[in-house]
Amino acid sequence: MEATRYVVESVGIPKRTHFGDGFWCYTNDSSFKDSGYTNSALSPHTDTTYFMEPVGVLALHCLSHEGEGGETLLVDGFQAANQLKVNHPDSYKILTNHKPISHSYLGDGVHHTGYHRILLETHNGDLSRIAYNHYDRGPFSMPPEECVSFYTALNQLSSYMDDPKNQLKLKLNPGTLLLVNNWRV
């Protein structure tokens, strides 16, 4: 773990959270209320959307693994968003302009809530971040007349996220360290 810490700290400052000091081991542990601690397959998502500033870089280091499963699923969210922009420009506009919605984590003695647009652009109109996580989306208020178009747009983005042509599946071998841009992938 010291080598992992060295590499990660050369990239940035690890974020201390309720899970620990920025370095923790994911195992099948139902005592945590986070979907990442299960042995169930997870659909495409960005992590820590329940923080006002989601973690920018994730470090996934496989220490050991025996048996079946354990594949990592990566999706270029910017590519999926660009496909949405090209094929459904009105839906892209909805997801970049809607009122920020809540993403929430409640469990393990803490309650975090972050508010984000699904697609965040810079002042120049360039996509800068995706907050895409069905597991952590919390309750939010939206005028009824906007709900259908919002969920239509979100479902269209989801279809690109779920498209196998936009996905890379890989199994990390013990000793492999993968750094991921959590605001994009």
Side-chain angles (χ1 to χ4, degrees):
M1 284 291 279
E2 288 308 310
T4 306
R5 185 179 296 274
Y6 176 79
V7 170
V8 169
E9 289 177 346
S10 71
V11 173
I13 299 169
K15 184 170 186 149
R16 181 170 192 72
T17 73
H18 60 282
F19 292 116
D21 67 354
F23 296 90
W24 54 89
C25 293
Y26 281 98
T27 60
N28 186 15
D29 184 349
S30 61
S31 69
F32 286 111
K33 304 300 181 207
D34 190 283
S35 55
Y37 283 93
T38 70
N39 59 3
S40 300
L42 300 177
S43 63
H45 66 280
T46 55
D47 281 333
T48 65
T49 54
Y50 42 77
F51 292 137
M52 287 304 291
E53 185 75 13
V55 171
V57 176
L58 296 175
L60 304 174
H61 187 184
C62 178
L63 300 176
S64 66
H65 182 267
E66 294 178 13
E68 298 296 315
E71 288 81 16
T72 297
L73 174 66
L74 302 173
V75 177
D76 184 346
F78 281 21
Q79 171 64 20
N82 187 58
Q83 290 170 330
L84 180 71
K85 186 176 187 178
V86 167
N87 297 314
H88 305 282
D90 290 341
S91 291
Y92 180 87
K93 187 174 181 178
I94 288 168
L95 296 182
T96 57
N97 291 305
H98 66 82
K99 177 183 166 188
I101 62 172
S102 71
H103 295 79
S104 197
Y105 181 95
L106 177 60
D108 309 316
V110 298
H111 185 191
H112 298 290
T113 303
Y115 295 88
H116 311 283
R117 289 186 173 97
I118 303 297
L119 304 175
L120 182 66
E121 293 184 321
T122 66
H123 65 282
N124 295 348
D126 297 324
L127 190 60
S128 63
R129 182 171 72 198
I130 293 179
Y132 181 84
N133 192 317
H134 298 311
Y135 303 105
D136 298 334
R137 190 166 308 111
F140 60 94
S141 176
M142 182 178 289
E145 62 275 8
E146 294 178 19
C147 282
V148 171
S149 59
F150 174 81
Y151 279 108
T152 298
L154 185 57
N155 284 335
Q156 289 169 333
L157 177 62
S158 294
S159 71
Y160 294 116
M161 293 287 205
D162 294 334
D163 185 342
K165 291 182 274 187
N166 291 332
Q167 298 178 347
L168 173 65
K169 291 181 183 179
L170 58 118
K171 186 168 183 173
L172 301 181
N173 294 315
T176 302
L177 175 63
L178 175 66
L179 300 178
V180 178
N181 179 348
N182 184 52
W183 290 5
R184 178 176 184 146
V185 177

